[in-house]
Amino acid sequence: MTERAEVRIDGKAFAERVRARVAEQVAVLRGRHGIVPGLAVVLVGDDPASEIYVRNKGKQTEAAGMQSLQIRLPADTDEATLLAAVNDLNGDRRVNGILVQLPLPSQIDTERVIAAIDPAKDVDGFHPINVGRLMSGGEALVPCTPLGCMMMLQDRLGDLGGLEAVVVGRSNIVGKPMAALLLKANCTVTVAHSRTRDLPGVCRRADILVAATGRPEMIRGDWIKPGAMVIDVGINRIAGADGKNRLVGDVAYAEAVEVAGGITPVPGGVGPMTIACLLQNTLTATCRQHGIDPADLGAGSG
Ligand code: GUN
C-alpha cells in the first residue's frame, strides 16, 4: 500500500504547495514593492463547465492575494466587442494577466482574439509570440497544463536530461508545448498521435509518457515501460457500471499503476496543477512587467 501510494503522484497536494509559494511571493511583492498582481478572466456566454472553471479561478486568485477581475459577456457577443474588451484590458495597469476562457462561441475567431492579447499579459501562453519564444528558447509565458506537468516530473526525477519522452497528442494547448518543454529539458522527444504506427510500441520506449489524447483509458498497462513516469492529462466523463458518470484519464490507471514508477491519477493529478500554474504565470508576468526578478521574492521561488 505504501509502495502504491508513492507511485501515485498527488497533484492536489502539489498544487497546494505551488499556490502557497505563490501567495508568499505575492505578499512580498505587495509589502516590498506595493504591487498587487491582477488577473482578468473573460467569459463569453454561459457554458456551465466554463462557469465553474471561471469561478474557481477567481476564488483561487483572491486566495493567493491577487486581484481578480471577471468580465462576462453574453453568448451573442460579436468579435469586435470582444476585441475591444481585450484591448481595454491590455491598457489597464491593474491587470497583469489576461485569460479569455475557451471555447468561444462560433461567431468569434479564436485565433484573432488570442493574437489581440498583449503577449506580456498572455498567462495562457497561447499568443503566437509566446509559442515562438517557447520554441526558440526565449522568455515565454508557458501554457499552464504543460507547465504543471513539467513541475511534477522535475519534482520526482530531478534532471530529465537524456530521458526518452513520448507525448501522445499534438494539441496546441498540451501536446506541442509539452514536447517543446521536454526538449528544452534535454529529453529525446517523440510526439505520437492518431496516425502513429505501432502506438503501443512507441509508448513502451518512454521513460516519460505524457497522455493527452482525449480518449478514455486508451493507454493500457502493457504499453508502459516498467518504472516509467506517466502523466495523464486526460479528463473524460464516462458512464460507470452503476450508471453514474465517472471521470477517467487517457490511461487505464488500475493497470498502469502496477507498472509505472510514478503516475498522476484522474481526478487529482494534472487538473489541480493547471490553476496553480495560472497563478504562477500571473506572478511571473507581473514581475516581468515591473522588471523584478521573481528569485528576489523569497525562499523557494522560481
Ligand atoms: N478552457 C479549458 N481550459 C482552458 C485553458 O487552459 N485556458 C483557457 N483560456 N480556456 C480553457
Side-chain angles (χ1 to χ4, degrees), residues 120-157:
K121 297 188 178 186
D122 168 38
V123 284
D124 259 329
F126 293 166
H127 191 287
I129 293 263
N130 282 315
V131 175
R133 282 184 188 150
L134 174 60
M135 291 308 294
S136 62
E139 238 189 20
L141 283 164
V142 176
C144 302
T145 299
L147 183 60
C149 296
M150 287 303 286
M151 283 184 187
M152 291 191 285
L153 284 169
Q154 283 166 331
D155 181 66
R156 277 285 173 117
L157 299 175

Side-chain angles (χ1 to χ4, degrees), residues 76-277:
D76 62 357
T77 298
D78 62 24
E79 192 177 293
T81 307
L82 179 55
L83 289 172
V86 168
N87 202 39
D88 286 348
L89 295 171
N90 285 341
D92 188 333
R93 289 187 54 83
R94 297 168 306 166
V95 173
N96 304 102
I98 302 169
L99 180 145
V100 178
Q101 185 69 27
L102 304 179
L104 289 167
S106 57
Q107 74 275 14
I108 294 172
D109 181 335
T110 301
E111 278 182 34
R112 220 175 280 158
V113 173
I114 289 171
I117 297 171
D118 177 349
K121 297 188 178 186
D122 168 38
V123 284
D124 259 329
F126 293 166
H127 191 287
I129 293 263
N130 282 315
V131 175
R133 282 184 188 150
L134 174 60
M135 291 308 294
S136 62
E139 238 189 20
L141 283 164
V142 176
C144 302
T145 299
L147 183 60
C149 296
M150 287 303 286
M151 283 184 187
M152 291 191 285
L153 284 169
Q154 283 166 331
D155 181 66
R156 277 285 173 117
L157 299 175
D159 182 13
L160 308 185
L163 295 178
E164 285 276 349
V166 174
V167 180
V168 190
R170 52 177 158 179
S171 71
N172 289 334
I173 294 182
V174 181
K176 286 180 198 162
M178 190 73 222
L181 286 169
L182 289 163
L183 186 58
K184 204 168 159 188
N186 302 314
C187 292
T188 302
V189 183
T190 302
V191 182
H193 47 77
S194 54
R195 302 284 294 273
T196 295
R197 271 181 276 157
D198 185 22
L199 186 57
V202 171
C203 290
R204 270 182 217 116
R205 293 206 304 256
D207 302 308
I208 294 170
L209 181 61
V210 180
T213 66
R215 289 166 178 264
E217 299 180 321
M218 184 179 89
I219 294 175
R220 313 306 309 186
D222 65 357
W223 297 21
I224 293 165
K225 176 169 159 178
M229 288 288 295
V230 179
I231 304 288
D232 190 349
V233 184
I235 301 179
N236 310 286
R237 208 171 287 276
I238 63 166
D242 56 1
K244 285 187 196 151
N245 281 347
R246 62 190 185 100
L247 286 184
V248 298
D250 294 349
V251 179
Y253 184 85
E255 296 172 12
V257 76
E258 300 295 331
V259 189
I263 179 167
T264 58
V266 177
V270 174
M273 284 297 287
T274 298
I275 297 187
C277 287

